[in-house]
Amino acid sequence: MSTFVTTSHGADFFGEDRHLTKSLASLADYARGCLAADERDQLVQLLTAQEMAEVGTEQSIPAAVAGRLADQLGRIARNHYLRSKRLAEAAALLAAAAGRAAADGEPWQWRIETSP
């Protein structure tokens, strides 16, 4: 059974994206290396907390925070040290979803789910 995060404002037909929690934790490692220490804490905490969260846990990220996270995730996605195309794509999808939430002035929703 895999655990993943479903985010709002995504690119699929239902306006959602799904990311494995293990992928998000790996992305947090790149955030530590790509972003300045004074700006990365909130993003790293968000990405790593999902791996420990229980199924059914939901989190709402305010639009203003989503805008900052969109910028940070976009910089990670474009960083030349991020060699994994899968992780770069995940960072780009997260950045786009966070940006849409911020532009709409809506909270960015995260939900923990499992798949068989």
Side-chain angles (χ1 to χ4, degrees), residues 1-2 17-18 21-22 36 42 45 49 51 73 75 94 115:
M1 192 169 352
S2 298
D17 287 327
R18 290 195 171 128
T21 55
K22 288 183 181 186
Q42 189 171 25
Q45 183 179 14
E51 198 168 33
L73 287 159
R75 285 188 280 151
L94 287 165
S115 66

Side-chain angles (χ1 to χ4, degrees), residues 70-82 88 91 95:
D71 174 62
Q72 293 171 358
L73 287 159
R75 285 188 280 151
I76 293 168
R78 294 184 302 272
N79 192 290
H80 66 277
Y81 289 113
L82 183 56

Side-chain angles (χ1 to χ4, degrees), residues 11 16 24 33 37 45 49 57 93 105-106 108:
E16 297 180 334
L24 296 180
Q45 183 179 14
T57 301
L93 286 170
E106 298 174 350
W108 189 28

Side-chain angles (χ1 to χ4, degrees), residues 28-80:
D29 291 336
Y30 282 99
R32 287 181 187 100
C34 296
L35 301 173
D38 62 341
E39 69 176 339
R40 68 179 173 224
D41 288 342
Q42 189 171 25
L43 178 60
V44 169
Q45 183 179 14
L46 175 65
L47 295 172
T48 56
Q50 305 312 311
E51 198 168 33
M52 306 278 205
E54 292 184 25
V55 173
T57 301
E58 294 187 19
Q59 185 170 2
S60 182
I61 299 160
V65 174
R68 283 195 310 274
L69 296 176
D71 174 62
Q72 293 171 358
L73 287 159
R75 285 188 280 151
I76 293 168
R78 294 184 302 272
N79 192 290
H80 66 277

